[in-house]
Amino acid sequence: MTCWYEGPLAAFDTETTGVDVETDRIVSAAVVVQQGVGTRPRITRWLVNPGIPVPAGATAIHGLTEEHLQHNGRWPAPVMEEIARELAEQGAAGRPIVVMNAPFDLTMLDRELRRHRASSLGHYMAGSPLCVLDPRVLDKQLDRYRKGRRTLTDLCAHYAVELDEAHDAAADAQAALDVVRAVGQRFASRLERLSPSELHALQAVWHAAQARGLQAWFARSGTPEAVDPAWPLRPEMPAAA
């Protein structure tokens, strides 16, 4: 019997104007669907004209300039609709959706849907609840005492996953998917008896514990930054942009 980490998976990733999920915007996104280990993936890409300035710092990361997006990007409203429907389709098909640092990308999408479609990600997923696999949460729980950072680039290096074009949405989505497969294989004795839906529920608990630990570390170091324990989607803020 094929284990979940060897079977069908989808992955989602975005590139944005910044890191504030309430005010920043999506400039590119991708969904990668792969039926099994080693099979050819189906990749859907979106390029978005966000309608706001693209900071130079963001362009330095993903390479997408404001001029390029204005000339080649689509308006956000139809794009966000298409992305949400694609994720709902994957959910309806029973494919777990891999999202690296899920609270960021999924909350960004939710806020864009609220902004441009007067809707929410929950509305689109109502008939097919999200089943998310977050490589960051999984790795941090299963190998919690390992030193070092756990960015996607770091996880790819640790699990020997190829990542040629970091900060390209499609490349990052494929890499995150490959990392999840590698995590599943490495920790098979602890994961193979769990279904993706069971893992989804566990990750919410694990992420909350990880957030509490990070918050305590910030407190000890005098850092005022707050850590949100919500996973895989942050609750709506009353003053969202």
Side-chain angles (χ1 to χ4, degrees), residues 1-10 90-91 93-98 129-134 137-138 180-181 184 190-206 231-232:
M1 182 177 175
T2 301
C3 295
W4 61 263
Y5 50 82
E6 297 173 332
L9 293 174
Q90 299 311 315
R95 294 187 191 95
I97 301 172
V98 175
L130 277 169
C131 180
V132 176
L133 299 172
D134 188 331
V137 175
L138 291 170
V180 162
R181 293 199 190 280
R190 298 165 63 182
L191 294 176
E192 61 186 357
R193 292 182 179 85
L194 295 169
S195 69
S197 59
E198 289 171 329
L199 264 180
H200 177 97
L202 284 170
Q203 285 170 101
V205 176
W206 294 343
W231 184 97

Side-chain angles (χ1 to χ4, degrees), residues 199-218:
L199 264 180
H200 177 97
L202 284 170
Q203 285 170 101
V205 176
W206 294 343
H207 179 271
Q210 292 163 10
R212 289 194 298 269
L214 182 58
Q215 190 72 76
W217 186 84
F218 281 157

Side-chain angles (χ1 to χ4, degrees), residues 151-171:
T151 66
L152 180 58
T153 300
D154 297 318
L155 295 185
C156 286
H158 182 71
Y159 289 99
V161 167
E162 185 176 349
L163 176 57
D164 289 334
E165 299 179 71
H167 300 296
D168 169 83

Side-chain angles (χ1 to χ4, degrees), residues 89-163:
E89 180 181 318
Q90 299 311 315
R95 294 187 191 95
I97 301 172
V98 175
V99 191
M100 175 72 186
N101 190 20
F104 178 78
D105 292 84
L106 294 181
T107 305
M108 284 291 302
L109 176 58
D110 177 78
R111 302 310 191 254
E112 289 278 52
L113 289 166
R114 293 176 187 275
R115 183 178 293 120
H116 297 291
R117 304 298 303 185
S119 188
S120 68
L121 184 57
H123 170 77
Y124 285 91
M125 302 300 298
S128 50
L130 277 169
C131 180
V132 176
L133 299 172
D134 188 331
R136 185 174 182 273
V137 175
L138 291 170
D139 174 73
K140 199 169 184 179
Q141 173 67 24
L142 296 165
D143 198 0
R144 66 178 69 183
Y145 300 112
R146 189 177 81 249
K147 302 291 186 182
R149 289 157 50 88
R150 298 180 194 248
T151 66
L152 180 58
T153 300
D154 297 318
L155 295 185
C156 286
H158 182 71
Y159 289 99
V161 167
E162 185 176 349
L163 176 57

